[in-house]
Amino acid sequence: MTSPLNGIAPLSHLGVIRVEGEDAAKFLHGQLTQDFALLGMGDARLAAFLSAKGRMQATFIGFKRSASEVLLVCSLDLLPPTLKRLSMFVLRAKAKLTDATGDFALYGLVGDAVAALPAGPQPAWVKSDIGAASVVHLYPVDGQPRALWVAPAAEPAPAGAALDPALWLWSEIKSGIATLTTPVVEAFVPQMLNYESVGGVNFKKGCYPGQEVVARSQFRGTLKRRAYIVHAAAEVAVGAEVFSTNDLEQPCGTVVQSAPAPGGGFDAIVSLQIAAAQDGLQVGASDGVALTLHPLPYALLDDI
């Protein structure tokens, strides 16, 4: 069966924060879960911005456009509050943060569109520059390579067949890597979304807000929730509670991200109590929408 994932989709649901100045990378290094101090021009970073309690306030794909300019791609709905919160921490750092969404065009590339790039498919979080465009390679889905294209708005769009943006959103679900949006702000520590297993947390870097909580979750065996991919026959809303059919009194999870599946129904990323993952699952306690668990496309860090 041919994968429906092939082509190029505009990504209007994403925004861009520009961080400029000689301290740009150093500043972000002290605020986010990933290492930006050693960020090379050929790398990208998956990262989260946490509260002091270790709860995720935003997630980013970050990369350098130059030695003194870093772009952070995040969900557009979270950009204004995130920009405001991050800017509060700049203090004496030589870094300026601005909303640069209007300055850039963002596209999702999948399948033949990635294969046609000069460097072809690359491992996740490799970044390549094609003229004025920055291309960040992402996790594949259904065997199809995927990439994020970020270029100045005046640049021509990448060449290739058009892809329905809804299919791109579905590919994000199937990748198993969640992008945080407003309904689930401060609902999770990074490991509850498997971020430590997909390159979103660096345990060797210096201090950042929430670091102690993240480290404690990782090294004291206190982690009780993980992210899973599920299928539902009907739509499930982001932020909705998930219940085990063995206990309809207390929720055991939360819907993190959801998108229509090309074969019908909806696929979603849910954060679940590990102990409930093998139970019957549903969204909502009464007349709930049943969920079917699908395998993750990557190994969890504990399993490696």
Side-chain angles (χ1 to χ4, degrees), residues 215-271:
R216 194 159 59 241
S217 296
Q218 192 69 23
F219 300 118
R220 291 191 183 175
T222 57
L223 185 65
K224 293 183 171 61
R225 290 178 182 249
R226 283 288 195 186
Y228 298 85
I229 298 173
V230 297
H231 180 76
E235 185 172 2
V236 291
V238 173
E241 293 179 329
V242 178
F243 292 83
S244 162
T245 52
N246 295 336
D247 180 5
L248 296 177
E249 298 293 322
Q250 292 291 329
C252 64
T254 307
V255 177
V256 184
Q257 200 167 337
S258 176
F266 281 72
D267 287 330
I269 297 174
V270 297
S271 182

Side-chain angles (χ1 to χ4, degrees), residues 6 10 22 31 34 37 49 52 62 64 87 91-92 98 161 201 252 256 301 303:
N6 199 57
E22 61 183 86
Q31 298 300 324
Q34 252 294 3
F49 178 44
K64 283 184 176 177
S87 297
L91 303 177
R92 294 187 182 87
T98 54
V201 180
C252 64
V256 184
L301 196 62
D303 301 334

Side-chain angles (χ1 to χ4, degrees), residues 86 122-123 130 172 205 245 279 281:
L86 266 175
Q122 297 290 320
I130 301 173
E172 293 278 83
K205 72 184 285 286
T245 52
D279 297 348
L281 298 167

Side-chain angles (χ1 to χ4, degrees), residues 63-281:
F63 58 89
K64 283 184 176 177
R65 273 184 60 80
S66 71
S68 59
E69 181 184 9
V70 180
L71 298 186
L72 300 175
V73 178
C74 65
S75 181
L76 186 59
D77 67 326
L78 282 183
L79 192 150
T82 302
L83 179 60
K84 184 177 180 180
R85 284 195 195 106
L86 266 175
S87 297
M88 290 167 56
F89 294 100
V90 172
L91 303 177
R92 294 187 182 87
K94 294 177 181 176
K96 181 183 178 183
L97 281 69
T98 54
D99 178 352
T101 304
D103 297 339
F104 292 94
L106 280 66
Y107 293 89
L109 279 57
V110 64
D112 293 344
V114 180
L117 296 173
Q122 297 290 320
W125 316 129
V126 168
K127 188 210 98 177
S128 52
D129 295 315
I130 301 173
S134 301
V135 180
V136 176
H137 294 268
L138 307 174
Y139 273 59
V141 167
D142 284 355
Q144 296 285 79
R146 301 163 64 246
L148 171 67
W149 174 288
V150 182
E155 292 289 310
L163 176 74
D164 184 343
L167 282 173
W168 177 265
L169 294 176
W170 174 71
S171 81
E172 293 278 83
I173 302 295
K174 297 295 283 184
S175 77
I177 301 174
T179 300
L180 211 68
T181 55
T182 299
V184 288
V185 165
E186 296 199 17
F188 314 108
V189 298
Q191 292 98 325
M192 292 180 185
L193 298 186
N194 304 346
Y195 261 49
E196 86 302 333
S197 293
V198 291
V201 180
N202 185 320
F203 291 104
K204 297 176 181 177
K205 72 184 285 286
C207 195
Y208 57 88
Q211 181 192 22
E212 289 182 11
V213 176
V214 174
R216 194 159 59 241
S217 296
Q218 192 69 23
F219 300 118
R220 291 191 183 175
T222 57
L223 185 65
K224 293 183 171 61
R225 290 178 182 249
R226 283 288 195 186
Y228 298 85
I229 298 173
V230 297
H231 180 76
E235 185 172 2
V236 291
V238 173
E241 293 179 329
V242 178
F243 292 83
S244 162
T245 52
N246 295 336
D247 180 5
L248 296 177
E249 298 293 322
Q250 292 291 329
C252 64
T254 307
V255 177
V256 184
Q257 200 167 337
S258 176
F266 281 72
D267 287 330
I269 297 174
V270 297
S271 182
L272 287 178
Q273 292 175 5
I274 297 167
Q278 303 309 315
D279 297 348
L281 298 167

Side-chain angles (χ1 to χ4, degrees), residues 43-63:
D43 306 317
R45 297 278 193 263
L46 176 69
F49 178 44
L50 310 183
S51 70
K53 295 181 180 179
R55 297 279 166 160
M56 300 169 82
Q57 299 181 115
T59 59
F60 308 103
I61 294 173
F63 58 89

